[in-house]
Amino acid sequence: MTIQSLGVGSGLALDDLVTQLLDAERTPKEEALNEREEQVEAEISGLGQVKSVLSDFQDAVDELRTDADINGREPTITNPDEDFENITAEASNSALRGSYEIAVEQLAEGSRVVTDDGAFSDSSDAILSSGTGSLTFNVGTTGDSFTIDVAAGMTLAQLREAINDSENNFGVNANIIETGTSAGPRLVFTSEVTGTGNDLEIVNDTGVAELNRLATSSSSPLGLISDSNISSATNARATIDGIVVESNSNEFENTIQNVSFEAERVSPLAADGISFQTSTLEIGYDKEGLETKIRDFVDTYNSVMSELSTLTRYGESELEEDGALAGDSLMRGIMTGMASIVGTNVSSSALGGLFQLGVELNSDGELEIGSSDFGLGTGEERLEDALEDNFDEISKLFTDENEGIATRLYEFAEQYVSYSGLITLRENAAKDNREEIYDDRETLELRMASYEQVLRDKYLNLDQTVAQLNSTSSALLATLG
């Protein structure tokens, strides 16, 4: 008799028995693998979160440690007429605090050249009746120049376009004013190059008489543009606390040490109609900007510590799960290291440390601008005092290349988040563990398949034996009957 399935011959539930034995063998091993895999996946996820938040923190402190404007100056300008801006100003971080009265008496201008009355009757008139020539435009001692070739038949309008479209044009603009009078059209040349001595010169290169109508210089001077139609380039002129200063542009650089201001318009006249009203320029500390950076640093630090605390905490009850990295020594090392850096002194800064800036570590391991008074004022009071009395020392506290808090925190974070950092090494180890779990699952499946075959072979023999005994019993009963 051939038995196709366990229990068919004997009538015993041998298939169910094999299934139960397999489950009894598989379940504890599979549960152990699931628990291991869950722990490893949680570790990989937690490490990824830590790496991400530390990388963001490193970017923030990197911006802080390299911030050239951390101790920036704040220029404040009060103009005589609030609807008009006479000057604008900028100050470098090394500018001294001070107040200055500034009046703009004259703006810098480029020179202006206008052709004489009656030089041309119509803008479509030919400049040269025959032959060719050229005009060279240059200015002052800058060395800038360009040349326009003039051919017979070129009109005044075409010359204007050739000048404005020249690729070598250094800032000369040509325009035609149609007077509508006997003066005829007048070609106006304006130069953008400002400053005394930077006068526009238009040279008739070939000395052709007809081109002298458009030139200020020629080998044959007869018929050149009249001096009365030539305006020289000028400097900007201002007074600072009554002292006259000039600039070849409208920007006055370093006239006040480490301060630049730009003249936007001539100051209005005073009541006497002679003197000019002044704008008040005050150079002070950008206390608001620096305070914002300090508070942002506190918030960024606390964000990291809060994330780490969440990941490393133990649940307070059976209903509260542990963090993904509960009790992890690497995470504790990060938290301890960061707290140590923000709590140490910086000898290069007269402030010494964050405490003198009003920033303290609280009992939760986070930074705060404290409200407690330790005989030195509350945190808010100490911060206000530092901004007022030790403004430049604050930058040293964060940015000193050897001891600065932002510098050291950046380097500390680098140990963990770099390509070969400690977190990356831990991630790689955890991923290796995950691969081992995958291998262990495959091994378990192979072992269970082999074990199932052993069980089926064993109970197949039992099934066949019982089937034979049942058959013999049936035959004997039939004979006796």
Side-chain angles (χ1 to χ4, degrees):
M1 180 178 184
T2 302
I3 298 176
Q4 300 297 327
S5 178
L6 287 178
V8 172
S10 63
L12 301 174
L14 297 178
D15 255 333
D16 290 344
L17 178 60
V18 168
T19 299
Q20 291 171 14
L21 291 171
L22 286 173
D23 287 344
E25 181 70 18
R26 177 194 296 274
T27 299
K29 295 180 174 60
E30 199 166 59
E31 287 179 349
L33 286 173
N34 289 342
E35 185 177 352
R36 283 175 57 198
E37 185 173 11
E38 184 178 343
Q39 291 173 345
V40 169
E41 291 293 354
E43 181 182 8
I44 292 173
S45 175
L47 289 169
Q49 292 179 60
V50 173
K51 191 172 185 179
S52 175
V53 75
L54 266 185
S55 293
D56 291 343
F57 178 72
Q58 186 186 36
D59 290 342
V61 293
D62 183 34
E63 185 175 339
L64 184 60
R65 75 186 179 116
T66 58
D67 188 354
D69 296 324
I70 188 171
N71 57 342
R73 293 339 190 223
E74 182 70 19
T76 302
I77 300 169
T78 304
N79 290 302
D81 186 339
E82 62 182 16
D83 293 329
F84 295 97
E85 195 172 58
N86 298 328
I87 61 171
T88 58
E90 294 180 352
S92 73
N93 295 344
S94 53
L96 299 176
R97 298 172 77 178
S99 179
Y100 308 91
E101 296 296 324
I102 300 174
V104 179
E105 298 184 347
Q106 176 179 287
L107 294 176
E109 294 182 350
S111 58
R112 184 171 182 270
V113 178
V114 184
T115 56
D116 292 345
D117 284 354
F120 300 93
S121 58
D122 194 281
S123 58
S124 62
D125 287 350
I127 297 169
L128 291 179
S129 55
S130 62
T132 61
S134 64
L135 296 170
T136 295
F137 296 79
N138 57 64
V139 62
T141 58
T142 65
D144 293 324
S145 69
F146 67 97
T147 298
I148 300 296
D149 293 324
V150 182
M154 175 183 274
T155 66
L156 198 63
Q158 289 172 334
L159 175 63
R160 175 193 60 192
E161 299 307 316
I163 293 169
N164 293 336
D165 294 341
S166 173
E167 62 180 13
N168 296 317
N169 191 325
F170 54 81
V172 175
N173 181 65
N175 200 7
I176 294 175
I177 302 297
E178 297 285 358
T179 66
T181 69
S182 59
R186 303 182 71 181
L187 188 57
V188 180
F189 306 96
T190 55
S191 170
E192 295 177 359
V193 183
T194 61
T196 302
N198 288 326
D199 294 337
L200 177 65
E201 183 183 25
I202 308 172
V203 182
N204 178 359
D205 300 315
T206 55
V208 176
E210 288 176 299
L211 284 184
N212 279 355
R213 295 177 294 171
L214 296 160
T216 62
S217 175
S218 173
S219 56
S220 53
L222 186 63
L224 291 173
I225 294 174
S226 304
D227 289 344
S228 59
N229 289 325
I230 301 174
S231 301
S232 296
T234 60
N235 285 344
R237 186 173 64 250
T239 61
I240 302 175
D241 293 340
I243 301 172
V244 177
V245 293
E246 291 193 6
S247 171
N248 60 10
S249 71
N250 287 317
E251 186 169 356
F252 291 78
E253 294 186 15
N254 220 36
T255 304
I256 303 168
Q257 189 174 11
N258 300 314
V259 176
S260 66
F261 69 90
E262 185 167 0
E264 301 291 344
R265 64 192 291 269
V266 173
S267 298
L269 289 173
D272 61 12
I274 300 173
S275 58
F276 294 89
Q277 298 182 50
T278 61
S279 300
T280 302
L281 169 62
E282 293 187 10
I283 305 299
Y285 297 142
D286 185 11
K287 294 189 290 185
E288 182 178 345
L290 183 51
E291 182 177 349
T292 298
K293 291 173 183 178
I294 293 168
R295 294 185 184 275
D296 286 347
F297 168 76
V298 170
D299 291 341
T300 304
Y301 178 91
N302 289 343
S303 176
V304 177
M305 298 303 281
S306 176
E307 185 75 18
L308 291 174
S309 296
T310 299
L311 289 169
T312 57
R313 77 177 188 280
Y314 287 104
E316 295 181 0
S317 68
E318 293 183 358
L319 299 176
E320 186 177 1
E321 293 185 357
D322 294 341
L325 300 170
D328 190 280
S329 60
L330 183 64
M331 300 304 108
R332 289 200 305 272
I334 294 174
M335 297 172 74
T336 301
M338 289 178 60
S340 174
I341 290 172
V342 298
T344 55
N345 281 349
V346 178
S347 62
S348 58
S349 172
L351 285 168
L354 288 179
F355 180 82
Q356 287 76 10
L357 194 56
V359 180
E360 312 157 13
L361 278 169
N362 62 25
S363 58
D364 295 325
E366 296 183 341
L367 293 176
E368 65 178 6
I369 299 174
S371 56
S372 300
D373 188 337
F374 298 95
L376 299 172
T378 65
E380 292 288 350
E381 290 170 342
R382 278 174 277 142
L383 175 58
E384 184 178 347
D385 290 343
L387 289 169
E388 180 62 32
D389 302 329
N390 289 287
F391 189 84
D392 288 334
E393 296 302 317
I394 296 175
S395 67
K396 298 176 186 176
L397 198 63
F398 289 101
T399 65
D400 182 84
E401 62 181 11
N402 296 315
E403 301 180 60
I405 291 171
T407 302
R408 292 179 60 197
L409 285 171
Y410 175 86
E411 294 169 351
F412 179 80
E414 182 71 7
Q415 301 175 60
Y416 294 91
V417 302
S418 66
Y419 179 76
S420 57
L422 296 175
I423 294 179
T424 302
L425 295 177
R426 272 285 299 277
E427 282 181 318
N428 292 339
K431 290 174 182 176
D432 288 343
N433 287 339
R434 184 171 59 185
E435 291 299 320
E436 289 178 4
I437 294 171
Y438 294 159
D439 293 341
D440 289 346
R441 285 194 186 281
E442 292 180 4
T443 301
L444 176 62
E445 291 303 321
L446 291 173
R447 188 164 62 246
M448 293 307 300
S450 176
Y451 182 50
E452 181 179 6
Q453 188 60 49
V454 169
L455 290 175
R456 288 190 175 278
D457 289 345
K458 176 180 177 180
Y459 288 110
L460 179 59
N461 290 332
L462 174 62
D463 197 25
Q464 291 172 340
T465 299
V466 173
Q468 290 173 355
L469 289 174
N470 287 339
S471 178
T472 300
S473 174
S474 296
L476 288 171
L477 289 173
T479 302
L480 293 174

